[in-house]
Amino acid sequence: MMRKYVVPFVALMTAGAMALTACGSTAETPAPARASAPAGGEATAPTDGAAGGDVALLSGTAKSNRSEPNTGDWAVPNGGVASAAARQSSQRWVQLTASKADDLDPVVVNGAGLTLYRFDKDSNNPPTSTCNGECAQTWPAVTVAPRGKVFIAGVRKSAVGTVKRADGTLQVTIGGWPVYRFAKDTKRGDTLGQGVGGTWFGVTPTGGKAGAPQGGQDDNPDAGDATAPPATSAVFFDEANFSDNGASQGVSGSGCQNLPRPGAPSSVAAPGSLKIWAGPNCTGRVQVINGDVADLATIGFDNAVVSVRFS
């Protein structure tokens, strides 16, 4: 008796699915950041805050985003190669911060303050990672798990991507160049990998070689992006260069917002353009910024931001 009802029931379910498809969805999908084509040719596209993407790009630092202790870059704070136990935890998130290390300025460092490098024998077009096996023991690749997080400050989202390595892991790229640590760097400010073999160099916020002429590339994160979309949030740091040595405060919303701790910031990470004001309720001196500013003193706003306006 039940068999004769099977076909009509399947037909009804099919029709229902078609009707739902035709209706579409009202949910917005965040626009993808710059995607680096992996060596295997299968595209990976980081997305801004999208859990369903390969990785989520978030403004600020791991600390300002309240990441768990002993995870991400903090799982290997003194360099070296992560053990099997720490490797999985270390891939939960990666931090890319434009900073200064020894004589390299700017150079990108991770959440533990360790210098990040690029390798001349790799390629950025298409992005290709060639350091495997014994090479990867000396130069651990900066990898992130699928749906992991990449915190960025002073590095434009459009410059960040991923590439699939020979072992199947996702390696972070800047300007298309795969990035690495140097196992002999054990503390903040170490740059022992700079110039090794004439092929390894600290990586700049645009993927260039730190400490070398950039051939006209814009490596100044303070310059902003003239085409930056309006921001709806920002993270203000009490110290320059997005440093976690001091406190930080997040601000979000629409329209004018007063800072919880006015007059404290020395740098700001913002995923777009906004206005900063020297007075409460968006009054007094004003400045438009287009993205991250590593040192607010360069625009005359060190310890002066009191309120902000989002579009």
Side-chain angles (χ1 to χ4, degrees), residues 191-283:
T191 57
L192 299 178
Q194 178 69 4
V196 169
T199 56
W200 290 93
F201 299 90
V203 63
T204 71
T206 58
K209 299 179 185 179
Q214 297 304 309
Q217 293 185 66
D218 176 15
D219 277 325
N220 180 11
D222 290 344
D225 185 348
T227 61
T232 57
S233 65
V235 180
F236 290 88
F237 298 85
D238 286 11
E239 304 291 336
N241 296 315
F242 323 104
S243 173
D244 282 330
N245 291 333
S248 63
Q249 53 186 317
V251 184
S252 62
S254 61
C256 184
Q257 303 286 334
N258 290 318
L259 267 62
R261 292 185 300 104
S266 291
S267 57
V268 56
S273 64
L274 69 152
K275 292 181 179 179
I276 55 176
W277 304 75
N281 303 314
C282 296
T283 60

Side-chain angles (χ1 to χ4, degrees), residues 116-308:
L116 301 183
Y117 298 88
R118 49 165 281 179
F119 185 32
D120 279 357
K121 294 184 180 181
D122 287 346
S123 169
N124 74 329
N125 188 22
T128 307
S129 175
T130 62
C131 180
N132 300 290
E134 292 185 7
C135 176
Q137 296 297 306
T138 303
W139 301 93
V142 175
T143 57
V144 62
R147 301 191 181 186
K149 299 175 182 178
V150 179
F151 302 114
I152 56 176
V155 180
R156 296 176 184 170
K157 289 186 177 181
S158 59
V160 180
T162 58
V163 61
K164 187 173 289 185
R165 291 176 53 77
D167 61 5
T169 58
L170 292 180
Q171 183 171 2
V172 175
T173 63
I174 301 177
W177 288 98
V179 295
Y180 305 81
R181 291 184 296 102
F182 184 45
K184 294 182 180 181
D185 285 349
T186 60
K187 63 182 184 300
R188 292 175 180 270
D190 279 354
T191 57
L192 299 178
Q194 178 69 4
V196 169
T199 56
W200 290 93
F201 299 90
V203 63
T204 71
T206 58
K209 299 179 185 179
Q214 297 304 309
Q217 293 185 66
D218 176 15
D219 277 325
N220 180 11
D222 290 344
D225 185 348
T227 61
T232 57
S233 65
V235 180
F236 290 88
F237 298 85
D238 286 11
E239 304 291 336
N241 296 315
F242 323 104
S243 173
D244 282 330
N245 291 333
S248 63
Q249 53 186 317
V251 184
S252 62
S254 61
C256 184
Q257 303 286 334
N258 290 318
L259 267 62
R261 292 185 300 104
S266 291
S267 57
V268 56
S273 64
L274 69 152
K275 292 181 179 179
I276 55 176
W277 304 75
N281 303 314
C282 296
T283 60
R285 189 161 54 95
V286 62
Q287 174 74 46
V288 177
I289 62 174
N290 291 296
D292 300 350
V293 179
D295 188 353
L296 286 167
T298 62
I299 58 174
F301 264 82
D302 186 30
N303 298 323
V305 182
V306 174
S307 57
V308 301

Side-chain angles (χ1 to χ4, degrees), residues 24-185:
S25 172
T26 58
E28 290 186 9
T29 301
R34 180 187 185 276
S36 297
E42 181 183 344
T44 61
T47 54
D48 182 7
D54 289 290
V55 295
L57 304 183
L58 303 173
S59 291
T61 63
K63 182 177 179 181
S64 68
N65 281 279
R66 300 180 181 179
S67 295
E68 296 180 19
N70 302 316
T71 63
D73 294 335
W74 297 336
V76 194
N78 299 317
V81 180
S83 65
R87 187 176 301 115
Q88 183 174 2
S89 181
S90 71
Q91 292 181 341
R92 290 175 58 180
W93 58 263
V94 169
Q95 182 176 315
L96 306 176
T97 302
S99 188
K100 180 180 184 297
D102 196 19
D103 294 331
L104 304 182
D105 185 13
V107 69
V108 180
V109 302
N110 73 1
L114 299 175
T115 303
L116 301 183
Y117 298 88
R118 49 165 281 179
F119 185 32
D120 279 357
K121 294 184 180 181
D122 287 346
S123 169
N124 74 329
N125 188 22
T128 307
S129 175
T130 62
C131 180
N132 300 290
E134 292 185 7
C135 176
Q137 296 297 306
T138 303
W139 301 93
V142 175
T143 57
V144 62
R147 301 191 181 186
K149 299 175 182 178
V150 179
F151 302 114
I152 56 176
V155 180
R156 296 176 184 170
K157 289 186 177 181
S158 59
V160 180
T162 58
V163 61
K164 187 173 289 185
R165 291 176 53 77
D167 61 5
T169 58
L170 292 180
Q171 183 171 2
V172 175
T173 63
I174 301 177
W177 288 98
V179 295
Y180 305 81
R181 291 184 296 102
F182 184 45
K184 294 182 180 181
D185 285 349

